[in-house]
Amino acid sequence: MATLDIIFLNEISKLSSNAERWNPYPWYKEMRNHHPVFYDEGQRVWNVFRYDDVKRVLSDFTTFSSERKRSLIPVPVQDNGINLAFSDPPVHRKRRGLLAKAFTPRSLESWKPRIQAVADMLIDKIASEDTSKPIDMMKDFAVPIPVTIIADLLGVPNQDWAKIKEWSDILFMPHHAEGIEETTKLKGQTMQTFAEYLLPLVQHKRKNPQNDILSDLTQAEYDGERLKDEEIVYTGIGLLGAGNETTTTWLTNAFYSFIDEEVYPKLREDPSLIPGAAEEVLRYRFTASMDRTVTEDTDTFGPPMKKGDIIIAWISSANRDEDHFTNADQFDITRKNSRDHLTFGNGEHFCLGAPLARLETQIALSSFIRKFRSIRFTPDFRAEEHLLKHGFTLTSLPIMIEQS
């Protein structure tokens, strides 16, 4: 397993309390307005916060490379031959091609009935329970949909989704200087357990290929050779993890925002607003950052940067940039350019799973809103009390619902 020198975002932002991490937007604005290009001495990294600068870092792979020896990515890195997150074109383009066909909108069209069936099953289960008591929107709805679908898509038994989710949560746990040795050890152990689970499945599919991504990978060639079992295993871990974590957070943040911003009745009245509202959630409330390596001495952003320097693109700050989004600090479900957000990245590294995540989210939200008349927070709910330790995402979302 390759090891990276870890970059700690919290050491740069100094957002130490749960309340600050749940509402980092004042700090983003301060940095955009007064320190848009900032070098942090402690973490030895450059930082950019404005929309145009972040977009440039994400898309200009000749100047800002994905090949790096230091990173803030919390998942242990595997030298598996088809790693997408740490490669650039033309190598990246070739590797991506091995996976891309499974995630095109046309390929995903056949998955609509399956996604709908999973959403309906969960909604029926929620509706059958005592609605005078709160439900956990995350555990009961936002978690099982994406992890079940990505497991199906890869050809992994979906009855194992709870294990997959548990392992993914550990691998995507945020790094923090406090307890870093224990966290790193836990991630390594979990990666090994995950790999041991997938290996016999991959070996079986090599002999008995089916209509799924893991089977496709056993038959695919890269650089004139078939992929090794280990390469497929670690690719599968990456897809299973990323394929459920992002969508779970998106759905959870959507329900939080729809209640907090009091737009749920409008969406119920006019379901055509749901796709735009979902994109606005990614723009308005989704924490994301990405790092790159500077490939040559440059003054692209003003200050001189040296070859080998690391630069962090603060995507969540870019999504609140007033120069690109009018009234950026307002949640607007009718915003015309919500889809300009950079949450899925930009350029060659635009998220491979974005079409799947969008399909899952729109089906899930539309189905839920059609079924339930209203939703509200439980009386004692405080978001900062439900935050992931050292993180920016919720671990639960207790709400009250009212059926149609």
Side-chain angles (χ1 to χ4, degrees), residues 7 9 12 45-49 53-59 64-68 70-74 84-86 172 246 287-293 310-317 342-346 349-351:
I7 299 167
L9 284 180
I12 301 170
V45 294
W46 289 97
N47 301 267
V48 291
F49 297 89
D53 295 346
V54 168
K55 187 175 182 179
R56 173 72 183 272
V57 170
L58 296 178
S59 58
F64 306 106
S65 172
S66 292
E67 296 182 4
R68 51 213 192 270
R70 302 182 63 221
S71 182
L72 52 85
I73 292 181
L84 297 181
F86 288 80
F172 279 80
T246 298
T287 303
S289 302
M290 188 54 65
D291 50 69
R292 295 287 187 263
T293 300
I310 298 294
I311 185 168
I312 296 177
W314 290 78
I315 294 169
S316 309
S317 173
L342 299 173
T343 304
F344 283 133
N346 192 258
H349 281 273
F350 185 82
C351 177

Side-chain angles (χ1 to χ4, degrees), residues 83-230:
N83 193 308
L84 297 181
F86 288 80
S87 61
D88 295 315
V91 173
H92 171 271
R93 200 171 292 135
K94 188 174 180 181
R95 293 175 179 177
R96 186 181 173 104
L98 295 172
L99 306 170
K101 65 178 183 179
F103 292 94
T104 62
R106 178 179 296 179
S107 297
L108 292 173
E109 186 70 24
S110 62
W111 283 86
K112 279 186 177 180
R114 174 59 174 152
I115 298 171
Q116 188 67 63
V118 174
D120 290 344
M121 175 192 68
L122 295 170
I123 287 170
D124 289 344
K125 185 174 185 298
I126 291 171
S128 68
E129 295 175 354
D130 183 358
T131 54
S132 67
K133 297 178 180 178
I135 66 162
D136 184 345
M137 272 305 304
M138 190 170 179
K139 178 175 70 71
D140 295 338
F141 195 66
V143 165
I145 289 179
V147 73
T148 299
I149 297 305
I150 194 64
D152 277 357
L153 195 58
L154 265 75
V156 175
N158 59 52
Q159 65 263 27
D160 293 336
W161 72 263
K163 288 194 294 190
I164 293 168
K165 177 60 179 171
E166 178 184 353
W167 295 332
S168 299
D169 285 347
I170 293 172
L171 294 179
F172 279 80
M173 276 169 41
H175 284 301
H176 191 274
E178 176 188 324
I180 185 60
E181 291 183 5
E182 292 83 356
T183 301
T184 302
K185 182 179 179 181
L186 178 61
K187 286 174 183 281
Q189 292 172 339
T190 302
M191 182 69 86
Q192 182 176 347
T193 301
F194 211 153
E196 290 171 352
Y197 165 80
L198 279 181
L199 181 59
L201 190 62
V202 170
Q203 292 171 335
H204 175 76
K205 289 180 182 297
R206 191 177 291 280
K207 297 176 182 177
N208 305 279
Q210 299 168 314
N211 184 27
D212 55 57
I213 293 176
L214 291 181
S215 294
D216 289 347
L217 288 174
T218 65
Q219 307 304 306
E221 290 190 359
Y222 180 68
D223 285 343
E225 296 181 359
R226 290 282 177 93
L227 295 169
K228 298 181 178 66
D229 290 346
E230 184 182 46

Side-chain angles (χ1 to χ4, degrees), residues 11-27:
E11 296 293 330
I12 301 170
S13 68
K14 311 300 183 188
L15 301 174
S16 57
S17 72
N18 281 6
E20 289 174 321
R21 289 198 305 278
W22 184 241
N23 183 31
Y25 307 105
W27 181 74

